Amino acid sequence: MTKERAAQIVGNLGYIIDIDDEIKGLDLVKEIEKLKKEKNAVILAHFYQRPEVQNIADFIGDSLKLSQEAAKTKADMIVFAGVHFMAETAKILSPDKKVLIPDLNAGCSLADSITPEGLKELKEKYPDHMIVSYVNTSAEIKAMTDLICTSSNALRLIQTLPPEQKIIFTPDRNLGYYVKSLLDKSDEEFVIWNGACHVHNGFNKDAFEYMKEKYPTAKLIAHPESPKEILLLADFIGSTSALLKYVTESEDKEFIVATEEGITYQMKKKNPDKIFHVLGSATCACGFCEFMKTITLEKLYLTLKYEVPEIILDKKLIEKAYLPIKRMLSISEKLGY
Ligand code: 13P
Ligand code: SF4
């Protein structure tokens, strides 16, 4: 197979329909392990990845953990089994390494819900506000940002800022609402960009009530990207890793999970005696991120073998986008997590 053909296959959204003879009959897990060693590569996978992809990863985690791993890895090559902004973040943190993503179509509706032009306009309206952006943003947005945060550290990072500091929070309105509800700030002091993730924003009260009737003792746990009506009903709110920790340490046995279904793979693995229902799964397919699921073992293998597609970013953009991420990582380290 040529490098061009491999690039064509890994660029396909969804499953590979046209599997070339080269892949047929291969023990992909064995081949990927072999290539990883040969190329001194590391595979980072988000919790929303398919189980077989999570199983072959060197590190599985939430956005914060994965960016910390990307910053400290000694590998020559990073293969990011996640979405585009995550691989870009890895490239910003490790500019001298080759960073690959097994499908360039693995985007993120939340990251796409903000544009540099829109943010520039908002900043012009609120020139004294500091821009705090969620990590689910493009490198261009990061370069315009003062402080990056993730769902696991957003509140704690903002609490380290002087209390009078005014903030523009981008791009997730639901996470923004959640953080603001725990701070003493007015709408003018804490301006929220009106963006959302199509997966989390699809969760609603009706789906919850339907499921609660079926599973009356189940506790509702929610990712803060979920809408306000879900966050107000939740027994626990947290990032993917916080949700995993919560269910593992909880005395409760049954949970309704308001986040992407991929996380339940680790939840079930760590808690075989507990039951997990993804919110909406009985009434709709809301808990499914098609971008995360574009990554397959076949694409992972081709990416490692042919070293495509690669994340390429302009050097100046990397330098600018690095500053707010570095700020996040150093505050997180000081706070001890
Ligand atoms: P976490 O940082 O909690 O893993 O969330 C990432 C994400 O994309 C949620 O949709
Ligand atoms: Fe983006 Fe939503 Fe998918 Fe997370 S679940 S990667 S926020 S589209």
Side-chain angles (χ1 to χ4, degrees):
M1 186 185 297
T2 62
K3 190 168 174 158
E4 286 67 33
R5 174 69 186 129
Q8 201 184 4
I9 291 177
V10 291
N12 277 344
L13 190 65
Y15 304 90
I16 299 173
I17 304 157
D18 175 20
I19 301 179
D20 286 57
D21 287 346
E22 186 180 330
I23 307 173
K24 268 188 203 150
L26 277 186
D27 181 341
L28 289 173
V29 172
K30 218 165 105 194
E31 294 299 324
I32 290 170
E33 293 291 1
K34 208 165 92 192
L35 285 166
K36 262 198 320 192
K37 273 200 199 97
E38 261 171 46
K39 303 195 178 203
N40 189 26
V42 70
I43 299 178
L44 306 183
H46 189 264
F47 284 130
Y48 296 163
Q49 290 292 298
R50 295 163 187 267
E52 63 275 21
V53 173
Q54 293 191 35
N55 285 344
I56 205 154
D58 297 285
F59 299 99
I60 322 164
D62 66 2
S63 302
L64 177 62
K65 163 107 190 294
L66 294 177
S67 50
Q68 286 166 334
E69 291 301 338
K72 66 177 190 220
T73 180
K74 296 263 184 295
D76 296 317
M77 192 186 286
I78 297 173
V79 181
F80 215 111
V83 291
H84 195 261
F85 77 82
M86 295 180 174
E88 267 192 354
T89 308
K91 182 68 187 173
I92 295 164
L93 288 164
S94 296
D96 299 329
K97 295 190 197 308
K98 189 172 249 189
V99 177
L100 305 164
I101 180 163
D103 191 329
L104 274 179
N105 295 304
C108 168
S109 56
L110 177 55
D112 287 345
S113 65
I114 184 163
T115 60
E117 296 72 34
L119 183 55
K120 191 167 165 270
E121 252 175 54
L122 198 61
K123 180 68 185 174
E124 277 163 12
K125 200 168 161 197
Y126 300 102
D128 299 332
H129 286 50
M130 174 177 181
I131 302 177
V132 179
S133 294
Y134 190 30
V135 70
N136 296 42
T137 44
S138 66
E140 285 79 10
I141 296 295
K142 288 190 174 81
M144 297 170 73
T145 291
D146 299 299
L147 175 65
I148 289 292
C149 67
T150 70
S151 54
S152 55
N153 62 18
L155 179 67
R156 282 179 286 185
L157 291 190
I158 292 173
Q159 281 169 333
T160 66
L161 302 174
E164 66 282 5
Q165 179 64 60
K166 294 177 185 173
I167 289 166
I168 291 174
F169 188 87
T170 89
D172 190 38
R173 63 169 177 265
N174 296 321
L175 179 65
Y177 155 77
Y178 171 64
V179 172
K180 183 172 171 283
S181 71
L182 300 167
L183 297 167
D184 184 23
K185 288 201 189 292
S186 67
D187 291 350
E188 207 273 330
E189 290 167 329
F190 196 93
V191 178
I192 302 172
W193 182 269
N194 190 16
C197 152
H198 73 298
V199 177
H200 292 85
N201 210 47
F203 297 135
N204 61 50
K205 206 171 154 199
D206 287 349
F208 170 68
E209 278 166 3
Y210 173 84
M211 290 186 83
K212 189 71 184 168
E213 218 174 283
K214 283 179 79 170
Y215 315 113
T217 59
K219 294 280 185 268
L220 174 65
I221 57 165
H223 193 280
E225 284 174 28
S226 306
K228 187 173 167 181
E229 65 189 69
I230 291 297
L231 297 180
L232 289 171
L233 292 166
D235 295 289
F236 180 76
I237 299 166
S239 68
T240 47
S241 56
L243 296 178
L244 181 59
K245 187 167 181 276
Y246 179 79
V247 300
T248 306
E249 290 173 357
S250 170
E251 303 272 289
D252 293 305
K253 294 276 180 238
E254 197 169 3
F255 301 88
I256 297 171
V257 182
T259 193
E260 211 275 346
E261 63 86 36
I263 186 72
T264 59
Y265 176 60
Q266 294 298 330
M267 286 177 171
K268 284 178 197 152
K269 219 169 154 180
K270 286 193 177 6
N271 304 281
D273 59 325
K274 297 184 182 176
I275 303 165
F276 304 96
H277 312 280
V278 177
L279 178 58
S281 59
T283 50
C284 68
C286 352
F288 185 88
C289 178
E290 65 274 35
F291 299 117
M292 282 283 180
K293 304 302 198 243
T294 59
I295 313 294
T296 59
L297 276 189
E298 287 86 352
K299 290 181 189 178
L300 209 53
Y301 165 75
L302 290 173
T303 291
L304 259 170
K305 182 158 183 189
Y306 294 97
E307 303 181 15
V308 282
E310 186 178 353
I311 299 287
I312 310 275
L313 291 176
D314 177 76
K315 202 166 165 276
K316 284 221 166 65
L317 180 62
I318 290 184
E319 282 165 12
K320 273 188 153 177
Y322 175 61
L323 298 175
I325 307 175
K326 189 178 143 208
R327 201 165 175 188
M328 166 186 83
L329 293 175
S330 59
I331 304 176
S332 295
E333 206 182 305
K334 269 190 215 131
L335 293 175
Y337 62 93

